[in-house]
Amino acid sequence: MEDVLDRANMMEAVRRVERNRGCPGVDGMTWRQLRPYMEAHLDEIAEQLRNRAYRPSRVRRVMIDKYDGGKRPLGMPTVVDRTIQQALCQVLQPLFEPDFSGSSYGYRPHRSAHDALREAQRLVRARRLWVVDVDLERFFDTVDHDVLMARVARRVGDGSVLKAVRSFLEAGVEGEGEWRERSDAGIPQGGPLSPLLANIMLDDLDRELERRGHAFCRYADDVVIFVGSERASERVLGSVSAFVERRLKLKVNARKSGVRRPWECVYLGYTWTPAPELALRMSDRSVERLREKLDALRTDATRRGSDRPIDEATREILDGWGAYYALDEDAPRVVDELALEYGAAPRRESRAGGARGTEEGDAPGDEMLRDGYLYLPETRDPEERTTHTADDGAPYEGDNHASDHHPPQPRRERAAR
């Protein structure tokens, strides 16, 4: 715990929460009020954490759009709780990160959604033309706390650290017609610890797939396995589903899971053209969602009135979308056609930087992926955003083609203090 409570570590956590901004939690404290509060109360908070007496506030729940048109709950901790989670993450991530699978891409330094897609493309072009799509039903809502904490404890021996992590898992929920004093299952989405805990939970699945010699890509809870024949694919789906439900106590959604051809599969918003080309392309549903977003932007701007020109907001959305779908050679044409149809500002008139998420070398478009789901960029001023990303300051650090399979590394014995 002393590593977590080190003043330099805590103030770095404050800086990252400030940089990410985001909106207040249930206590109404804004990110602008965070630094003076932490400077005045840091010793008190540290003592509570050492004594295992710190009690996080309830998280504020909001519902946000998923790329497939559904809704996804996002839980926003208070800015103080986000800071403590971030401080924990800065100490815990270096302990777990070196041993994560080379086939895991979500929410990891030097890795991106584009890396996952490039590796998927390599496997498809290696004639692995059957895709086992494993859908983990309501993963973030159903994680068993005991199962997860047992995996955290493999590397972390400090009881006060384990207590702090568990207290954030069990924090209550408030908002969207729901009020709970305590959560009995799940990983609250919206805090800095969520992505790391999700990867820790699913690392056993990665290792099992590697042990069996499967070629796969995992981005958060989005898992696809690439197989050479239909018969083998059916066997893989059955055995992997049994492992997930028996060992991890998670549920596989039988209706959404299945064996498909690449051109029948949607992965991270992309699909493939049929053989022999097997080229990555944006899915039809992704284009539909983009149109819905642009239509909603027009409607909202007309109804409420907006100080910001609608053509600039349209251009920002299109630039972010185009950056994410840059692996589709047809994306620039689609963006240009939609820009003309919806009257977007020319690129030279759009705000500098285009879509959010390029600070410190984020891979283009990765800011649109949160908790394994694709979101179109927000068009509000950052200080007025109604959602914030799942990571308060551990951005992807560039598109470095980290797509090769890496052999499992020896387990490390170092533990957090």
Side-chain angles (χ1 to χ4, degrees), residues 108-136:
R108 298 182 60 191
H110 308 288
R111 286 176 173 261
S112 71
H114 281 183
D115 289 328
L117 288 159
R118 287 191 186 95
E119 175 62 4
Q121 173 75 331
R122 186 186 72 80
L123 293 171
V124 166
R125 288 189 165 171
R127 312 308 293 176
R128 296 177 181 269
L129 296 179
W130 294 92
V131 182
V132 179
D133 189 351
V134 182
D135 185 276
L136 303 180

Side-chain angles (χ1 to χ4, degrees), residues 24-30 33 37 57-58 60 77-81:
V26 296
D27 63 354
M29 184 185 296
T30 70
Q33 299 169 304
Y37 181 89
S57 300
R58 292 183 298 277
R60 184 162 73 87
T78 65
V79 290
V80 172
D81 286 345

Side-chain angles (χ1 to χ4, degrees), residues 90-380:
Q90 288 164 190
V91 172
L92 296 180
Q93 184 155 0
L95 300 181
F96 290 93
E97 174 62 33
D99 294 329
F100 282 149
S101 169
S103 298
S104 167
Y105 295 90
Y107 312 115
R108 298 182 60 191
H110 308 288
R111 286 176 173 261
S112 71
H114 281 183
D115 289 328
L117 288 159
R118 287 191 186 95
E119 175 62 4
Q121 173 75 331
R122 186 186 72 80
L123 293 171
V124 166
R125 288 189 165 171
R127 312 308 293 176
R128 296 177 181 269
L129 296 179
W130 294 92
V131 182
V132 179
D133 189 351
V134 182
D135 185 276
L136 303 180
E137 185 172 337
R138 299 175 58 239
F139 167 73
F140 283 93
D141 299 327
T142 60
V143 167
D144 184 291
H145 289 171
D146 290 337
V147 174
L148 172 57
M149 290 306 302
R151 281 149 180 78
V152 176
R154 291 173 182 171
R155 198 68 53 85
V156 179
D158 188 317
S160 57
V161 173
L162 294 172
K163 173 64 176 177
V165 172
R166 185 156 198 139
S167 70
F168 284 114
L169 289 173
E170 295 177 347
V173 174
E174 180 178 327
E176 294 290 337
E178 185 172 1
W179 194 99
R180 291 200 311 271
E181 187 63 38
R182 184 176 183 273
S183 297
D184 297 321
I187 301 174
Q189 298 178 73
L193 269 176
S194 302
L196 174 61
L197 294 177
N199 279 331
I200 292 171
M201 183 68 183
L202 292 175
D203 187 55
D204 278 12
L205 173 59
D206 296 341
R207 295 303 175 186
E208 179 66 14
L209 294 176
E210 289 178 340
R211 187 187 69 79
R212 298 182 186 186
H214 293 316
F216 69 98
C217 295
R218 181 176 67 79
Y219 193 103
D221 59 335
D222 203 336
V223 187
V224 285
I225 307 167
F226 297 87
V227 185
S229 72
E230 184 176 15
R231 175 178 289 184
S233 298
E234 296 289 355
R235 289 198 303 267
V236 169
L237 177 60
S239 62
V240 170
S241 297
F243 175 86
V244 167
E245 297 188 347
R246 182 183 66 255
R247 183 75 63 86
L248 301 182
K249 297 185 180 179
L250 297 169
K251 184 170 179 58
V252 174
N253 188 324
R255 182 176 61 84
K256 293 185 177 180
S257 300
V259 173
R260 304 176 177 91
R261 292 293 205 174
W263 48 90
E264 300 168 340
C265 173
V266 176
Y267 183 55
L268 301 180
Y270 279 80
T271 186
W272 281 264
T273 58
E277 292 86 0
L278 297 172
L280 282 168
R281 70 172 182 85
M282 65 198 83
S283 70
D284 293 339
R285 181 57 183 148
S286 297
V287 180
E288 291 172 9
R289 284 285 296 131
L290 175 60
R291 284 186 172 277
E292 291 168 7
K293 180 76 172 182
L294 295 173
D295 289 338
L297 175 65
R298 279 182 167 180
T299 302
D300 290 347
T302 302
R303 183 174 62 247
R304 294 185 317 217
S306 175
D307 294 335
R308 186 178 179 199
I310 191 172
D311 62 340
E312 290 188 11
T314 302
R315 170 52 65 187
E316 181 177 317
I317 291 174
L318 288 172
D319 283 350
W321 190 88
Y324 182 76
Y325 287 101
L327 299 182
D328 182 346
E329 295 180 354
D330 203 34
R333 178 190 62 79
V334 174
V335 168
D336 288 343
E337 289 179 356
L338 290 172
L340 182 63
E341 179 180 345
Y342 284 88
R347 285 191 177 88
R348 65 178 180 275
E349 296 179 12
S350 61
R351 294 196 307 180
R356 183 174 56 85
T358 57
E359 183 174 354
E360 295 190 12
D362 293 10
D366 272 7
E367 72 281 357
M368 296 165 65
L369 278 161
R370 309 175 197 161
D371 300 314
Y373 287 85
L374 179 65
Y375 300 89
L376 293 167
E378 297 293 330
T379 57
R380 298 173 183 260

Side-chain angles (χ1 to χ4, degrees), residues 41-82:
H41 295 87
L42 183 56
D43 290 343
E44 175 188 346
I45 292 171
E47 192 63 23
Q48 290 177 352
L49 287 166
R50 287 190 187 97
N51 295 333
R52 310 184 189 185
Y54 185 82
R55 295 292 181 268
S57 300
R58 292 183 298 277
V59 298
R60 184 162 73 87
R61 172 160 289 188
V62 297
M63 304 301 291
I64 55 178
D65 293 335
K66 295 187 336 191
Y67 81 91
D68 61 3
K71 295 286 186 180
R72 187 76 162 174
L74 186 72
M76 284 185 263
T78 65
V79 290
V80 172
D81 286 345
R82 293 209 294 268

